[in-house]
Amino acid sequence: MEPKFKISHFFIHGDPLILGADVSIGIATVMIIFVLTYFKKWKWLWKEWLTTVDHKKIGIMYVIAALLMLFRGGVDALLMRTQLALPNLKVLLSEHYNEIFTTHGTIMILFMAMPLIFAMMNIVIPLQIGARDVAYPFLNAISFWLFFFGAMLLNLSFVIGGSPNAGWVGYPPLSELQFNPGPGENFYVLAIQISGIGSLATGINFLVTILKMRTKGMRLMDMPLFTWSVLATSILIIAAFPVITVTMLLLFLDRFAGAHFFTMTHGGDPMMYINLFWIWGHPEVYIVILPAFGIFSEVTSVFSKKVTFGYTSMVVSMMLISFYAYFTWVHHFFTMGAGAGVNTFFAVSTMIIAIPTGVKVFNWLLTMYQGRIRLTEPMLWTIAFIPCFAIGGATGVMLSIAPADYQYHNSYFLIAHFHQVLIGGTVFGMFAGLTYWWPKMFGFKLNETLGRWAFWLWNIGFYACFMPQYALGFMGMTRRIYTYGWDMGWAPLNLISSIGAVIMGIAFLFQVWEIAYSVKYGERDTTGDPWDGHTLEWSLPSPAPKYNFAVLPEVHGRDAWWKTKEAKERGDYEEKKQELEPIHYPKNSGIPFILSVFFFIAGFGFTFEWVWMGALGLLGVAICLIVRSFQYDTDYYISVDEIKETEAALRGEV
Amino acid sequence: MKLSRLFTRTFLICLVPLILSGCGGKFIVLDPKGPVGEEEKHLILLTTLLIAIVVIPVIILLIYIIYRYRDTPSNTARYRPKWGDNKYLEIIWWGIPIIITVFMAYFTGKSVFALVKPPTTDVKPITIQVTSLDWKWLFQYPDQNIATVNYVDIPAGRPVQFILTSDAPMNSFWIPQLGGQEYTMPGMAMRLWLQANETGKYFGTGANFTGEGFAHMQFDVIAKTEAEFNRWVNKVKAAGKPMDMAIYNRLKQPGLVNKQTYSSYPPHAFEMTLMKNGGHYHERIPEGNQFNPNDTEKTK
């Protein structure tokens, strides 16, 4: 068979934006290679980072990758808002605009929100439950590298072969060969596929970690709420991600092997794709919001100097959300003409899921009530989240009213709603989490002044950008249009919205500045407990040693570290003198990285339908798996002397 | 202090779009011209009110709590670090949303079931078959045997049964001032009831992304009096050119076209489009529009 794509499909010509991207990617690559070589850092990079199985380092790599993706997705957003700032602009042509909103959505959900959540999970969970690592450290590294190379595969499409352009939902028949013959959609399918395997593995990993690796004395109902939220999210991931994997596989078979799962003819049914996509897609939005809920619970409690109000209610509501999340998917397409009974069922189930969410908001308020509120940066993000999410949740309930949804659907009202819950919920939540746990990750605090600048700019920009979009929805503006005329009166609101987007862009620059400044001048955290925290991670030095706990702690009840501190203050704290023992620890491994490179090669090959290359990649994957199964020397013991030395150095006792 | 400034700012920013848009824009969704749109607007306003019952107190409480319990040495407000449980309070905020949900569920169900029926039953409805193409709208009038592209004339005061399909990627058919949208899907015949009570020109648009020319898939809906509508039909029949399969196939090619009018179209063109795109796998073709491919000979 003649290969469908030739080398001539490879490079995209003629677009100054793409040429610019080509050049800057080239320059950046050369610079990175130069810096690494000049400072002789290649070995360091490989030994300390690329081969690491330490959850804390993996978490940090997730943070870096997610912030890069936030930058890329943000640039996409700014390009779109520039094009829409005024009617009839020609900044982007239709096809280019379509590619950009497709990659914006895909990147922001799968390669920005997801890794930020995984970052928080990785950095915090083992520390919070008193464990030395996750249950499967090697698998954890595989998860990260699969995500990373999946993201790279999608990003590559911008300069090689052309980006996907059927929207981040990729509905057939538009995403089928008939209407979309280029390699763009293949990039989309395979990037999601590769990173999806990683996400699924992460879900399994953290479910097991939380259930099996809690320290002595920590019952389920003693767990910090962030740990609970990750448990709920992991359950959702395990049940939802196989669905997207299968859906993408079927779409790929349609495109690659001429199958007819979702085509218009030969018995295919595009509606099946839409159902399957949202059976994953709706739990997915709860996957990215639940950990944010967990972070807000931790932050409100610590910075109000109070215990969380209604702990049981909080747990129950999270578990209810993770259950109901599976019964609302049809509300993404009330307008697909399901029967009245079906639409009513899913409208009501969607309203029901708002109840536990509402309860959580009240419980956060009551956690602050009769506390002592410190307006630190993490707390500011939490406070900004509450009204933002209340409004976003409310418009979500409005959208759930099926007949009203016939009017909101696919309009800017919907766009405003989901940006409000995703930015106001997930993004603000991750910012709260990042600023809260930053000292634990790196040993220094982020600069508050710059943080406040970023905070205010984000908020002002956010409301300026998205409030007008609700109004635009009522004015009949639909999503995914690359241009509009003067006749409908959409121009002023679009201009305000674009200005808001620019303000958010500036806010992001402030955050970069904040980080860069704090690396050098940030307040060093010498106590390990800069916020007067309540949970176990604050009992460790910052950053924590690789084995986390020299001696595994024993806890009694919630807020274990707070209780210990109180006991110390009262003077009735008895430190149990436990003998140090050698710590069993996994060895670093290059296999996760190499295996993911092979996945990338396979993905790239199948994207261009060069079967030899795809097969070669898969062969590499198989060899990696085989090699790993015959490795017996995968772990070692950290000696007592080494632990003593490390602890003494960390706790400043040298 | 700083925080109260945050909220005043936030509110001001929220107000800006409303003030500005008052000058130029038209909130067409909130200005319906027919019973379906009216019903939906009613639901929109009702639910806005119901959720305001929850959202506004939350925001007020938040501002109050942050101010009252700020961490300053001089703050004399009560401080109870270990207070984390109150059954009665929790019952209240599990209870209130449940009650609101029951209300909303009732009204939603009622509307959903109402909207699948004709909005008025004492007037004979008119049927219009709609096909979304790349990137244009084709309207066929089976009773009048005429066809239009990118505009549709309807008689005001009469329920219109739009039968929707697509001979291109899935789109969505939306006339905000008459009522909500429904998807147009290849191989499927979807039914959407709408009605205009006033004559006038209304904005119609495709709402589901279909590729390069999607942004241009807007069309005019012109509601006329019954008499004017009939005059228009006769005029079209007399003066327009007939559509044949060659013309249809040209229309089907991806691209943009201006408004067009045809005095007739090939028999069962709509049904053939349905069948060709896999319609025989579905039994969703509304009554009265069933089409048996074996009948083509007879009808010729």
Side-chain angles (χ1 to χ4, degrees):
Chain A
M1 199 177 78
E2 187 78 358
K4 217 167 84 218
F5 299 111
K6 308 225 170 70
I7 289 291
S8 57
H9 286 91
F10 213 75
F11 291 106
I12 312 166
H13 319 275
D15 195 306
L17 265 174
I18 291 169
L19 197 69
D22 277 335
V23 172
S24 51
I25 289 172
I27 292 172
T29 313
V30 170
M31 272 179 60
I32 291 168
I33 293 173
F34 174 77
V35 169
L36 286 172
T37 315
Y38 186 83
F39 292 102
K40 300 198 172 68
K41 287 289 187 189
W42 282 106
K43 205 172 164 193
W44 165 82
L45 182 70
W46 178 257
K47 279 189 74 173
E48 294 292 319
W49 293 97
L50 302 190
T51 59
T52 189
V53 292
D54 180 346
H55 67 98
K56 300 178 286 300
K57 283 185 175 168
I58 290 174
I60 288 169
M61 290 194 289
Y62 269 122
V63 171
I64 295 168
L67 291 180
L68 284 174
M69 289 295 103
L70 178 61
F71 173 73
R72 159 77 210 265
V75 171
D76 282 350
L78 285 175
L79 284 170
M80 286 191 282
R81 282 316 319 171
T82 310
Q83 165 68 15
L84 292 180
L86 289 169
N88 304 325
L89 287 185
K90 295 204 165 54
V91 180
L92 301 173
L93 296 174
S94 173
E95 277 304 82
H96 203 166
Y97 184 87
N98 301 342
E99 290 181 357
I100 283 177
F101 73 65
T102 302
T103 51
H104 169 76
T106 314
I107 285 175
M108 285 303 202
I109 287 281
L110 286 156
F111 302 125
M112 189 283 284
M114 288 295 280
L116 262 187
I117 276 152
F118 292 159
M120 293 294 121
M121 288 160 70
N122 266 289
I123 290 158
V124 181
I125 291 296
L127 303 182
Q128 231 177 23
I129 61 172
R132 288 199 166 116
D133 205 321
V134 294
Y136 310 112
F138 179 82
L139 185 66
N140 199 21
I142 292 183
S143 288
F144 171 76
W145 289 110
L146 285 180
F147 143 73
F148 181 81
F149 282 105
M152 288 305 108
L153 187 63
L154 187 81
N155 276 275
L156 198 62
S157 68
F158 187 67
V159 287
I160 291 175
S163 300
N165 61 0
W168 87 276
V169 292
Y171 281 177
L174 186 62
S175 57
E176 291 276 7
L177 272 187
Q178 183 187 353
F179 298 103
N180 220 322
E185 284 304 311
N186 291 348
F187 272 116
Y188 164 86
V189 167
L190 291 157
I192 292 181
Q193 199 74 287
I194 291 172
S195 67
I197 302 169
S199 304
L200 181 59
T202 301
I204 295 168
N205 215 334
F206 279 85
L207 182 77
V208 178
T209 305
I210 293 170
L211 289 182
K212 301 293 289 181
M213 295 184 64
R214 295 190 311 278
T215 193
K216 199 174 169 194
M218 186 183 277
R219 295 164 304 174
L220 280 175
M221 288 307 273
D222 296 337
M223 294 195 311
L225 281 168
F226 178 67
T227 307
W228 264 111
S229 72
V230 172
L231 181 69
T233 280
S234 302
I235 295 169
L236 279 171
I237 290 174
I238 293 169
F241 265 81
V243 182
I244 190 73
T245 302
V246 170
T247 313
M248 288 298 142
L249 178 69
L250 297 182
L251 183 59
F252 182 69
L253 287 176
D254 274 12
R255 296 179 55 84
F256 176 72
H260 290 281
F261 292 104
F262 307 129
T263 56
M264 308 200 299
T265 50
H266 301 96
D269 192 344
M271 288 191 293
M272 185 56 126
Y273 176 94
I274 297 171
N275 274 283
L276 288 172
F277 186 88
W278 288 112
I279 286 174
W280 162 77
H282 198 79
E284 167 68 12
V285 302
Y286 287 100
I287 289 170
V288 296
I289 195 66
L290 281 171
F293 287 172
I295 291 171
F296 293 130
S297 298
E298 301 288 315
V299 169
T300 43
S301 164
V302 167
F303 294 103
S304 307
K305 300 190 189 168
K306 257 188 77 192
V307 296
T308 304
F309 184 88
Y311 177 94
T312 315
S313 241
M314 291 294 220
V315 172
V316 169
S317 56
M318 278 194 286
M319 294 325 263
L320 278 180
I321 289 171
S322 72
F323 174 75
Y324 278 119
Y326 294 108
F327 299 97
T328 60
W329 82 88
V330 171
H331 73 217
H332 293 270
F333 45 87
F334 280 140
T335 53
M336 205 161 79
V342 172
N343 275 359
T344 307
F345 175 88
F346 283 96
V348 175
S349 69
T350 307
M351 292 169 213
I352 288 175
I353 206 169
I355 297 172
T357 316
V359 168
K360 294 186 77 70
V361 171
F362 281 110
N363 281 350
W364 286 314
L365 285 178
L366 261 271
T367 303
M368 292 187 234
Y369 178 74
Q370 298 194 340
R372 280 293 175 270
I373 298 166
R374 287 181 287 166
L375 293 179
T376 56
E377 210 193 332
M379 191 60 178
L380 282 179
W381 288 113
T382 307
I383 289 168
F385 149 82
I386 290 177
C388 198
F389 201 78
I391 299 168
T395 53
V397 173
M398 289 169 73
L399 279 155
S400 79
I401 315 294
D405 178 71
Y406 303 158
Q407 289 282 30
Y408 306 129
H409 187 62
N410 274 345
S411 78
Y412 262 80
F413 186 90
L414 171 73
I415 304 302
H417 157 72
F418 73 68
H419 280 93
Q420 184 150 28
V421 284
L422 281 171
I423 295 178
T426 304
V427 176
F428 284 11
M430 293 307 122
F431 288 164
L434 273 178
T435 46
Y436 178 55
W437 282 303
W438 193 273
K440 190 50 62 192
M441 291 154 70
F442 297 104
F444 61 88
K445 273 183 166 179
L446 287 170
N447 182 282
E448 281 273 334
T449 314
L450 288 168
R452 275 167 196 262
W453 272 94
F455 170 80
W456 287 108
L457 288 169
W458 259 107
N459 274 278
I460 294 166
F462 172 82
Y463 285 100
C465 184
F466 293 106
M467 293 302 115
Q469 295 188 3
Y470 282 117
L472 282 168
F474 285 124
M475 296 167 90
M477 182 163 167
T478 53
R479 69 194 296 194
R480 293 176 178 150
I481 52 171
Y482 76 100
T483 191
Y484 55 94
W486 288 99
D487 51 336
M488 296 300 292
W490 296 341
L493 290 177
N494 270 301
L495 184 61
I496 297 173
S497 182
S498 295
I499 292 169
V502 172
I503 296 174
M504 282 190 276
I506 296 169
F508 179 74
L509 294 182
F510 266 92
Q511 288 175 306
V512 176
W513 185 13
E514 181 190 1
I515 293 171
Y517 178 89
S518 308
V519 168
K520 200 144 189 228
Y521 304 107
E523 185 194 330
R524 304 294 125 167
D525 170 27
T526 49
T527 61
D529 187 12
W531 310 113
D532 196 7
H534 295 170
T535 39
L536 283 178
E537 71 270 31
W538 303 110
S539 69
L540 296 168
S542 302
K546 64 179 174 184
Y547 48 77
N548 298 348
F549 296 89
V551 176
L552 290 178
E554 188 178 338
V555 303
H556 309 281
R558 288 166 213 161
D559 296 323
W561 177 235
W562 193 11
K563 286 199 175 114
T564 309
K565 283 190 289 189
E566 280 179 332
K568 277 183 185 165
E569 240 170 64
R570 283 197 307 268
D572 58 0
Y573 177 70
E574 288 171 50
E575 195 159 7
K576 279 190 207 147
K577 269 287 164 207
Q578 251 181 301
E579 274 305 300
L580 288 178
E581 282 170 21
I583 293 170
H584 184 221
Y585 202 78
K587 276 186 176 167
N588 282 2
S589 169
I591 289 179
F593 180 83
I594 296 165
L595 175 121
S596 305
V597 169
F598 279 122
F599 257 112
F600 179 83
I601 292 169
F604 189 80
F606 283 118
T607 293
F608 284 89
E609 305 191 4
W610 298 334
V611 178
W612 59 269
M613 194 177 184
L616 206 69
L618 288 182
L619 184 71
V621 171
I623 291 171
C624 284
L625 292 177
I626 293 166
V627 169
R628 175 67 186 180
S629 5
F630 287 99
Q631 269 181 351
Y632 298 105
D633 181 24
T634 57
D635 42 17
Y636 70 110
Y637 281 89
I638 304 174
S639 68
V640 174
D641 288 343
E642 194 189 332
I643 301 167
K644 272 185 185 156
E645 249 171 63
T646 319
E647 288 294 304
L650 282 172
R651 304 206 182 246
E653 289 161 11
V654 177
Chain B
M1 298 176 357
K2 261 195 172 154
L3 213 83
S4 51
R5 230 184 300 155
L6 155 73
F7 288 106
T8 35
R9 267 184 228 174
T10 311
F11 275 110
L12 283 178
I13 290 162
C14 296
L15 282 179
V16 168
L18 291 174
I19 297 162
L20 274 175
S21 54
C23 312
K26 298 153 276 187
F27 293 102
I28 50 180
V29 170
L30 301 176
D31 181 25
K33 301 292 183 193
V36 177
E38 280 293 345
E39 166 106 30
E40 287 160 353
K41 177 189 161 192
H42 175 73
L43 268 176
I44 290 172
L45 297 182
L46 178 81
T47 48
T48 310
L49 196 73
L50 283 173
I51 56 165
I53 295 176
V54 178
V55 171
I56 291 172
V58 163
I59 294 175
I60 293 171
L61 260 176
L62 176 71
I63 296 169
Y64 167 76
I65 289 173
I66 293 165
Y67 178 75
R68 187 77 184 87
Y69 300 101
R70 66 204 183 280
D71 188 29
T72 50
S74 57
N75 193 344
T76 54
R78 199 164 174 201
Y79 173 49
R80 281 200 288 173
K82 300 287 174 178
W83 181 68
D85 211 3
N86 187 317
K87 290 251 153 31
Y88 298 106
L89 284 173
E90 293 219 58
I91 288 169
I92 291 173
W93 49 74
W94 278 96
I96 293 173
I98 290 175
I99 293 167
I100 294 177
T101 302
V102 170
F103 263 103
M104 287 195 296
Y106 169 73
F107 286 110
T108 304
K110 213 175 101 187
S111 266
V112 172
F113 281 92
L115 291 181
V116 294
K117 296 193 199 95
T120 39
T121 45
D122 49 348
V123 192
K124 188 177 171 291
I126 175 174
T127 297
I128 299 175
Q129 296 163 332
V130 183
T131 311
S132 64
L133 299 166
D134 268 348
W135 293 282
K136 61 218 57 128
W137 291 96
L138 170 66
F139 299 93
Q140 292 164 329
Y141 296 69
D143 300 330
Q144 287 75 16
N145 192 32
I146 57 171
T148 60
V149 173
N150 287 344
Y151 79 99
V152 56
D153 279 28
I154 57 170
R158 232 165 109 184
V160 186
Q161 177 185 219
F162 287 103
I163 311 264
L164 314 170
T165 193
S166 173
D167 200 5
M170 183 178 101
N171 209 313
S172 190
F173 179 76
W174 189 26
I175 308 168
Q177 283 187 285
L178 299 190
Q181 64 197 282
E182 183 140 302
Y183 286 166
T184 64
M185 289 183 286
M188 300 281 289
M190 315 297 296
R191 192 207 308 253
L192 177 66
W193 284 104
L194 294 174
Q195 179 176 328
N197 281 349
E198 291 173 35
T199 58
K201 195 163 113 176
Y202 306 121
F203 169 75
T205 183
N208 196 67
F209 178 65
T210 50
E212 198 183 344
F214 166 69
H216 304 288
M217 285 190 72
Q218 294 166 350
F219 56 92
D220 288 334
V221 183
I222 301 139
K224 296 176 162 162
T225 61
E226 193 73 41
E228 272 178 54
F229 177 76
N230 289 333
R231 261 203 303 283
W232 171 76
V233 170
N234 290 333
K235 209 179 100 192
V236 168
K237 276 183 167 317
K241 53 178 179 178
M243 174 194 281
D244 55 23
M245 280 322 281
I247 292 181
Y248 179 81
N249 287 331
R250 256 205 311 283
L251 273 178
K252 198 177 136 48
Q253 294 310 310
L256 303 178
V257 296
N258 291 327
K259 289 176 184 161
Q260 295 180 12
T261 311
Y262 296 99
S263 60
S264 71
Y265 58 86
H268 294 299
F270 184 79
E271 289 80 356
M272 278 193 279
T273 305
L274 270 178
M275 290 303 159
K276 182 186 68 177
N277 290 326
H280 50 288
Y281 296 110
H282 305 287
E283 288 170 7
R284 293 286 314 247
I285 300 162
E287 261 172 67
N289 291 293
Q290 271 100 353
F291 164 73
N292 181 350
N294 304 327
D295 286 349
T296 28
E297 289 305 308
K298 246 185 278 172
T299 45
K300 263 181 195 167

